[in-house]
């Protein structure tokens, strides 16, 4: 595609200048681009970042401006592409960051349907979403009618077998578990604690995005609230399990959640930390816990399937499904904690229904392709891409 015009370049320069002057996040050509510039910067740095940090550090501010300029160029270019080609459907990988997230914003602005795709967790599968990245559609999608329908005996057998395999990742193409973690014994310092509350973090930079119902601005803000909760609830033992993907993922985190937790919990005797690099099974920790508190990790699904009450504080795909307790106001954290430990009962059957839906309906098998014939599996896959029933 041809380079953007001199007029476009001047408009971008003026936009960047205004941002530098006023430090305000304006739309560019009616497109939200700051979300994608910030999430791209976080991914690049391998840590979450906020605007106060960006504006205090010239290196970070220069980086952010570079990403912002790239986002503007992407928006300008794709406005022209879509205006000239008027596509009926745009297919994008992921739907976040630069350029894909900006392209998605432009497409929606122009009324073009969008399908996004991402590798599924199960081997040979793909996650397909419509209108946005799956990170958002799975949170917002109403699946109440699906959760009302019972699984048959074969489906129950399939999902239970798969969930068991998640402990070592043997059936997954995306897994973050440590190799042979299931063989490791939980140390006695953790194993024999009473009233264990397991707290599961996320990788703080990963897929950082704005959700319309965000309770917390950042995961670290949530961690501080949980630390304060632990101070108040001395009769419970809080075990933070930092996400293994901080060290096992493709993009190793530049900062560790364990450091942040340790630095902000000095002297709290009922708070324990399992670091991301510790070769311990998260599933064994779930088994011995009284309840689980999560930010947004998908392990919330598995915890509920193990009959553990779950308090969801971030944008987990389990939120809004009537399976765990949803935190909708951070000022109500203590009240929701009381519900979690005193009266919350898990509908395991409903949890298994959602697990089956998530891992076997949202994630669909990639079809085998034959030059000479078209299979039913291929037809279903194409219908899914085009959002046809």
């Amino acid at each position: 595609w041809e380079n953007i015009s001199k007029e476009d370049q001047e408009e971008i320069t003026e936009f960047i200048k205004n941002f530098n002057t006023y430090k305000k996040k304006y739309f560019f050509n009616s497109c939200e681009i700051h979300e994608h510039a910030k999430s791209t910067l976080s991914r690049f740095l391998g840590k979450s970042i906020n605007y106060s940090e960006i504006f205090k550090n010239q290196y970070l501010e220069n980086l952010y401006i570079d990403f912002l300029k790239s986002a503007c160029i992407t928006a300008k270019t794709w406005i022209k592409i879509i205006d000239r080609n008027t596509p009926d459907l745009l297919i994008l990988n992921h739907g976040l960051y630069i350029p894909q997230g900006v392209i998605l914003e432009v497409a929606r602005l122009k009324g073009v349907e969008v399908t996004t795709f991402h590798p599924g967790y199960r081997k040979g599968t793909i996650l397909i979403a419509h209108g946005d990245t799956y990170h958002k559609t799975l949170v917002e999608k109403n699946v109440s009618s699906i959760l009302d329908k019972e699984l048959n005996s074969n489906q129950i057998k399939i999902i239970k077998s798969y969930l068991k395999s998640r402990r070592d990742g043997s059936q997954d193409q995306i897994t973050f578990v440590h190799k042979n973690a299931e063989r490791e014994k939980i140390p006695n310092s953790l194993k024999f604690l009473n009233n264990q509350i397991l707290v599961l973090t996320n990788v703080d930079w990963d897929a950082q995005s704005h959700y319309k119902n965000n309770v917390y601005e950042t995961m670290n803000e949530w961690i501080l609230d949980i630390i304060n909760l632990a101070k108040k609830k001395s009769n419970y033992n809080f075990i933070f399990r930092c996400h293994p993907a901080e060290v096992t993922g493709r993009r190793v985190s530049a900062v560790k959640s364990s450091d942040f937790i340790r630095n902000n919990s000095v002297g709290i005797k009922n708070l324990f930390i399992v670091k991301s690099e510790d070769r311990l099974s998260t599933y064994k920790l779930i088994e011995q816990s009284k309840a689980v508190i999560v930010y947004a990790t998908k392990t919330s699904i598995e915890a509920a399937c193990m009959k553990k009450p779950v308090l969801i504080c971030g944008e987990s795909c389990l939120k809004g499904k009537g399976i765990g307790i949803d935190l909708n106001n951070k000022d109500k954290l203590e009240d929701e904690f009381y519900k979690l430990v005193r009266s919350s009962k898990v509908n395991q059957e409903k949890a298994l229904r959602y697990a089956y839906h998530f891992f076997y309906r949202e994630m669909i098998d990639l079809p085998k392709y034959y030059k000479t014939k078209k299979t039913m599996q291929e037809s279903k896959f194409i219908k899914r891409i085009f959002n046809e029933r």
Side-chain angles (χ1 to χ4, degrees):
W1 197 260
E2 68 264 21
N3 291 332
I4 58 173
S5 67
K6 183 180 178 182
E7 290 77 13
D8 289 339
Q9 290 176 347
E10 289 172 352
E11 184 183 349
I12 292 169
T13 300
E14 186 65 22
F15 178 81
I16 299 292
K17 181 182 176 182
N18 285 337
F19 176 74
N20 267 330
T21 302
Y22 302 109
K23 311 299 186 189
K24 290 186 178 180
K25 299 182 291 179
Y26 298 108
F27 278 27
F28 179 75
N29 284 201
S30 302
C31 293
E32 164 56 89
I33 61 171
H34 284 281
E35 174 185 348
H36 302 289
K38 184 168 174 285
S39 62
T40 306
L41 176 60
S42 292
R43 187 180 182 92
F44 175 78
L45 296 171
K47 66 174 185 176
S48 65
I49 200 84
N50 59 47
Y51 284 103
S52 62
E53 292 175 272
I54 292 170
F55 296 143
K56 288 177 185 176
N57 184 309
Q58 194 60 53
Y59 168 71
L60 293 179
E61 188 169 339
N62 290 343
L63 270 179
Y64 186 77
I65 293 302
D66 281 345
F67 285 125
L68 199 59
K69 185 177 179 182
S70 294
C72 291
I73 292 170
T74 300
K76 274 292 183 187
T77 302
W78 277 87
I79 286 170
K80 292 179 181 179
I81 290 173
I82 289 175
D83 282 346
R84 187 174 299 185
N85 293 282
T86 57
D88 297 307
L89 175 69
L90 195 64
I91 302 173
L92 282 170
N93 62 311
H94 212 277
L96 284 175
Y97 307 116
I98 299 169
Q100 295 93 330
V102 179
I103 296 170
L104 189 146
E105 297 285 348
V106 173
R108 286 195 300 206
L109 178 69
K110 295 291 184 178
V112 175
E113 290 188 24
V114 179
T115 293
T116 61
F117 67 92
H118 192 277
Y121 289 85
R122 283 195 303 117
K123 284 181 180 176
T125 65
I126 190 168
L127 259 166
I128 294 174
H130 301 284
D132 214 327
T133 171
Y134 86 89
H135 299 88
K136 293 185 179 181
T137 60
L138 287 180
V139 176
E140 296 165 1
K141 187 180 291 187
N142 186 337
V143 293
S144 56
S145 60
I146 293 170
L147 297 183
D148 288 340
K149 189 177 180 181
E150 292 183 6
L151 299 177
N152 61 42
S153 57
N154 187 51
Q155 289 171 327
I156 292 173
K157 183 179 178 182
I158 287 170
I159 190 57
K160 284 186 174 181
S161 174
Y162 173 68
L163 290 175
K164 186 177 180 181
S165 79
R166 293 271 295 166
R167 299 177 77 120
D168 61 16
S170 57
Q171 293 184 35
D172 289 322
Q173 63 189 2
I174 298 176
T175 181
F176 302 112
V177 298
H178 286 288
K179 189 175 182 180
N180 299 325
E182 284 294 312
R183 298 180 187 176
E184 300 293 329
K185 291 183 178 180
I186 303 295
N188 290 342
S189 59
L190 298 178
K191 188 173 180 64
F192 299 108
L193 295 171
N194 293 323
N195 290 331
Q196 294 185 30
I197 306 298
L198 183 63
V199 184
L200 299 177
T201 69
N202 277 70
V203 178
D204 77 334
W205 60 262
D206 187 28
Q208 279 220 334
S209 195
H210 175 74
Y211 295 84
K212 60 186 178 184
N213 295 316
N214 268 35
V215 175
Y216 290 97
E217 285 294 317
T218 66
M219 186 178 74
N220 282 348
E221 183 190 357
W222 166 72
I223 287 174
L224 292 175
D225 267 8
I226 300 298
I227 290 172
N228 287 329
L229 183 68
K231 284 181 186 177
K232 296 178 182 178
K233 309 300 175 189
S234 57
N235 54 327
Y236 292 94
N237 287 295
F238 290 74
I239 301 174
F240 277 86
R241 192 348 167 190
C242 301
H243 203 302
E246 287 185 347
V247 294
T248 62
R250 284 187 301 169
R251 181 70 172 96
V252 175
S253 293
V255 295
K256 303 290 193 303
S257 296
S258 56
D259 293 333
F260 181 81
I261 297 165
R262 184 179 60 252
N263 292 338
N264 288 280
S265 61
V266 176
I268 304 177
K269 294 183 178 180
N270 63 325
L271 190 149
F272 305 83
I273 303 170
V274 179
K275 296 182 288 187
S276 54
E277 55 265 41
D278 289 340
R279 291 180 177 274
L280 290 181
S281 168
T282 301
Y283 300 98
K284 285 186 177 182
L285 292 170
I286 293 172
E287 285 173 336
Q288 69 179 39
S289 66
K290 180 181 179 69
V292 179
I293 303 175
V294 305
Y295 188 61
T297 176
K298 296 171 185 68
T299 314
S300 59
I301 302 172
E302 294 154 279
C305 288
M306 295 164 72
K307 288 195 78 172
K308 298 296 179 180
V310 181
L311 174 58
I312 303 157
C313 302
E315 297 308 309
S316 167
C317 57
L318 198 66
K319 189 173 184 179
K321 307 304 185 292
I323 296 169
I325 297 173
D326 300 337
L327 180 68
N328 296 314
N329 183 336
K330 58 188 174 185
D331 294 334
K332 300 291 184 182
L333 178 61
E334 196 170 340
D335 294 339
E336 301 296 8
F337 178 76
Y338 273 122
K339 289 181 190 176
L340 180 76
V341 296
R342 291 184 176 180
S343 61
S344 179
K345 292 183 179 179
V346 180
N347 185 334
Q348 187 184 31
E349 188 178 345
K350 193 174 184 180
L352 287 169
R353 290 176 197 173
Y354 185 73
Y356 185 86
H357 170 74
F358 180 71
F359 290 111
Y360 282 90
R361 294 195 189 103
E362 294 290 356
M363 296 175 200
I364 61 173
D365 294 322
L366 282 165
K368 290 181 179 178
Y369 175 72
Y370 301 94
K371 285 186 177 180
T372 56
K373 64 177 180 179
K374 193 172 186 178
T375 64
M376 182 68 73
Q377 193 181 32
E378 185 184 342
S379 296
K380 285 183 178 179
F381 176 76
I382 292 169
K383 283 186 175 181
R384 187 68 169 268
I385 291 285
F386 282 86
N387 202 18
E388 297 172 352
R389 299 297 176 193

